[in-house]
Amino acid sequence: MRPAELDRVTVAEAADRYVELVRARTLTGGLSAATAEVYARDAATFVALAGADQVLDDLTGEDVDAILLAFARKPDGRRPSTTGQPPSSSERPPAASVGSSVGSSVGQSPSSQARFRRSISALFKHATLAGWVQVDPMAASTVTARQRGGLRPERRALTREQAQGLVGAARSLERSPGEGRRDQRTELRDALVVLLLATMGPRVSELVRANVEDFFTNDGVRYWRIFGKGGRTRDVPLPAVVAGALDAYLARGRAASPDKALLLSWRGRRLARGDVQAVIDRVQARVDPAQRRSVTPHGLRHTTATHLLADAVDMDAVRRVLGHSDLSTLGRYRDELPGELEVAMRVHPLLRGPDPAQ
């Protein structure tokens, strides 16, 4: 159980206590000496980046993000620096730098970044149990560790204006396909890819796995039978605009091929997962720069969930659209939107209709 009172220890003191505990575990065989030293080294780096005199409980998720990214940029001593003088690793960047690029040729390797995140996660987990922090700030961190690609800011939903700009660019492609040989034009396919991702939020694996036969009509409504995780399937109705884009692509844009895949390259082969980002980027290039923001396929899945939920669509319906087995999973896909609280208060349900003062 957690202690009744919070112990406001500094970062340095918390790290010292934690490392002492970790090293004690080597005496009982619970941890190897080499692993304990890795934890100790990472704890020392954490102290240098966070600030030794900083109170541990005062660190926020944004602070953790800044620390993780500062570590990612920290020169790797095993590789030579190309700049001559490496930047000081003791300078802690502002939280606003979370969106900066990481993973330069002289920075930490992806595996080192992932290991460092695990180390400080373990430290904060112990700190929560010991009563050194009220809330584990790792839960609010938006920077995650990946074995490939290193640390990166979590992908987020597009705003309504950005999403509408992207959808509008896709629809303009559908209305005015380009010049050249019909079997080498990809505009209708690109439009369909973006519309499916932005309005229905499939996983990229579900999108590229789709076959023509997975789309059917029932009572005048077009459906997509999506084959998702764990062998589960879901039938999701297509918005009218998306159904129109599908029909246009099948009639005029899909390359002739015996392959049953829905999305084909101009050579007639099934589109690969890695090709989808290039499709999004091509459509994004047509968006007005004031509305443009780079986004990944998974970011468009966030976009679908966020805007459906923001528009008061039933949570269980959104869960079924995305193919989640549990409602609790939706929390990871719901992102804050600028101005949404102001809108919510303007249209408060208790203040609609008759004057409440009467």
Side-chain angles (χ1 to χ4, degrees):
M1 293 181 61
R2 283 184 52 193
E5 296 184 3
L6 181 71
D7 187 359
R8 287 180 60 81
V9 299
T10 65
V11 168
E13 186 178 357
D16 286 344
R17 292 188 193 179
Y18 174 68
V19 169
E20 185 179 351
L21 176 68
V22 166
R23 285 176 172 153
R25 290 182 60 193
T26 64
L27 301 177
T28 61
L31 207 63
S32 72
T35 300
E37 289 312 305
V38 169
Y39 276 116
R41 185 172 68 246
D42 285 341
T45 302
F46 170 67
V47 172
L49 295 174
D53 297 329
Q54 174 83 18
V55 174
L56 189 69
D57 187 54
D58 290 342
L59 293 179
T60 65
E62 287 187 347
D63 294 325
V64 170
D65 287 342
I67 292 166
L68 291 171
L69 290 172
F71 177 80
R73 299 186 190 96
K74 189 174 179 290
D76 188 337
R78 296 169 297 179
R79 289 177 286 176
S81 172
T82 58
T83 59
Q85 291 295 328
S88 170
S89 63
S90 62
E91 293 183 7
R92 182 174 164 202
S97 67
V98 169
S100 304
S101 62
V102 298
S104 67
S105 60
V106 295
Q108 298 293 314
S109 68
S111 60
S112 294
Q113 296 174 39
R115 186 212 66 237
F116 181 71
R117 192 182 201 281
R118 289 194 298 270
S119 292
I120 66 170
S121 292
L123 189 156
F124 274 115
K125 182 177 180 180
H126 175 73
T128 305
L129 295 173
W132 303 341
V133 296
Q134 299 177 77
V135 177
D136 186 347
M138 298 301 296
S141 170
T142 62
V143 172
T144 56
R146 304 173 69 196
Q147 282 301 114
R148 294 184 199 166
L151 293 167
R152 51 145 176 85
E154 186 177 335
R155 294 158 291 198
R156 288 300 189 187
L158 298 178
T159 65
R160 187 176 295 271
E161 292 75 19
Q162 291 165 345
Q164 288 175 338
L166 182 61
V167 167
R171 297 189 67 186
S172 71
L173 275 177
E174 178 193 354
R175 291 191 293 267
S176 55
E179 303 290 332
R181 288 175 47 180
R182 177 179 181 269
D183 62 350
Q184 293 186 7
R185 294 202 303 264
T186 61
E187 290 85 358
L188 293 175
R189 184 207 64 192
D190 291 356
L192 178 62
V193 166
V194 168
L195 289 172
L196 287 171
L197 286 169
T199 64
M200 303 181 70
R203 301 174 179 92
V204 67
S205 58
E206 296 169 344
L207 179 70
V208 297
R209 232 177 10 233
N211 295 324
V212 174
E213 63 193 23
D214 299 337
F215 294 82
F216 62 94
T217 302
N218 186 20
D219 288 337
V221 178
R222 297 298 296 275
Y223 286 84
W224 177 11
R225 177 160 293 166
I226 302 175
F227 292 84
K229 283 185 174 181
R232 294 189 295 268
T233 63
R234 61 190 189 276
D235 294 344
V236 183
L238 274 64
V241 167
V242 182
L246 172 66
D247 291 338
Y249 168 67
L250 292 177
R252 307 192 307 276
R254 186 176 180 273
S257 172
D259 197 314
K260 60 184 179 180
L262 173 70
L263 301 172
L264 298 173
S265 70
W266 66 270
R267 295 181 183 276
R269 298 171 184 155
R270 183 183 292 269
L271 211 64
R273 292 174 58 136
D275 298 328
V276 176
Q277 184 65 58
V279 170
I280 297 171
D281 292 342
R282 275 199 300 275
V283 179
Q284 279 281 27
R286 302 172 64 94
V287 179
D288 186 299
Q291 291 179 288
R292 188 187 307 157
R293 200 194 86 197
S294 61
V295 67
T296 63
H298 198 72
L300 291 177
R301 185 165 164 84
H302 274 263
T303 299
T304 299
T306 294
H307 290 286
L308 287 177
L309 291 170
D311 210 40
V313 175
D314 179 73
M315 287 183 66
D316 191 60
V318 179
R319 175 191 67 78
R320 290 159 58 196
V321 167
L322 296 183
H324 290 155
S325 58
D326 196 313
L327 275 174
S328 63
T329 313
L330 279 181
R332 296 204 302 267
Y333 288 82
R334 172 68 168 97
D335 296 332
E336 290 186 12
L337 293 172
E340 65 180 344
L341 294 183
E342 290 77 5
V343 171
M345 291 299 99
R346 277 203 305 272
V347 295
H348 200 294
L350 298 182
L351 301 178
R352 296 177 195 154
D355 187 344
Q358 294 179 352

